[in-house]
Amino acid sequence: MADADTSTTITGRCYCGATRVRATQAPHVVAYCHCTDCRRVTGAPVAVFAAFDEAVVTFTPDEGRRVAANPGVTRTFCAVCGSPLTGRYDYLPGQVYIAVGILDQANDLAPQFHAHESQRLAWLHIDDELERFAKSARSQLTDAAK
Ligand SMILES: [Zn+2]
Ligand SMILES: [Zn+2]
């Protein structure tokens, strides 16, 4: 997925439909995140995010409400229904992480690894061969963006 396919269009919307998203290139990387933050943000036992170049993503009418509850991270939510839309990390400039569950092409966006495996819920068992990182997999994320 590192090769940007310019013919790709990825679309999505929040729960209520007030916020729509469109990306004109495939994501750099798709990953599970088992961290407690992502769990709270999504309300799900594990989050899956797709990392896009900020430049190829547009939100209509806008990205909604910004919440910066933790240093270095900004999350956005639909201003009407509160669906989690994005995450941005200071250490990954120019990238926007979109919750895969809001994307119409989610079925084609299989995760490539597990981040924050050390915080995975004990009862959650995902049977796959993907690489598992105890923490943020920061190096994999920054490499994927190059
Ligand atoms: Zn909404
Ligand atoms: Zn996380």
Side-chain angles (χ1 to χ4, degrees), residues 32-39 47 49 75 89 115-116 119:
Y32 286 104
C33 189
H34 295 277
C35 85
T36 52
D37 258 29
C38 286
R39 215 142 64 210
F49 284 101
R75 312 264 190 177
Y89 305 86
H116 289 282
Q119 295 177 48

Side-chain angles (χ1 to χ4, degrees), residues 19 59 61-67 75-80 85:
T19 306
F59 288 87
D62 56 39
E63 239 184 280
R65 185 174 175 145
R66 279 169 198 277
V67 179
R75 312 264 190 177
T76 63
F77 302 83
C78 173
V80 178
L85 302 173

Side-chain angles (χ1 to χ4, degrees), residues 7-128:
S7 66
T8 301
T9 300
I10 290 175
T11 51
R13 67 167 177 87
C14 67
Y15 175 58
C16 77
T19 306
R20 292 184 180 271
V21 59
R22 190 167 185 279
T24 53
Q25 276 179 23
H28 297 303
V29 74
V30 182
Y32 286 104
C33 189
H34 295 277
C35 85
T36 52
D37 258 29
C38 286
R39 215 142 64 210
R40 281 188 199 284
V41 164
T42 59
V46 60
V48 180
F49 284 101
F52 291 88
D53 236 330
E54 251 181 347
V56 307
V57 179
T58 49
F59 288 87
T60 310
D62 56 39
E63 239 184 280
R65 185 174 175 145
R66 279 169 198 277
V67 179
N70 285 310
V73 188
T74 304
R75 312 264 190 177
T76 63
F77 302 83
C78 173
V80 178
C81 72
S83 281
L85 302 173
T86 70
R88 282 189 181 74
Y89 305 86
D90 287 356
Y91 72 92
L92 296 167
Q95 289 196 60
V96 57
Y97 281 68
I98 299 182
V100 161
I102 70 163
L103 298 175
D104 299 325
Q105 293 76 24
N107 210 34
D108 303 323
L109 298 169
Q112 293 150 277
F113 57 84
H114 294 262
H116 289 282
E117 168 73 12
S118 58
Q119 295 177 48
R120 178 175 53 80
L121 289 173
W123 49 258
L124 180 69
H125 300 288
I126 298 175
D127 184 17
D128 64 29

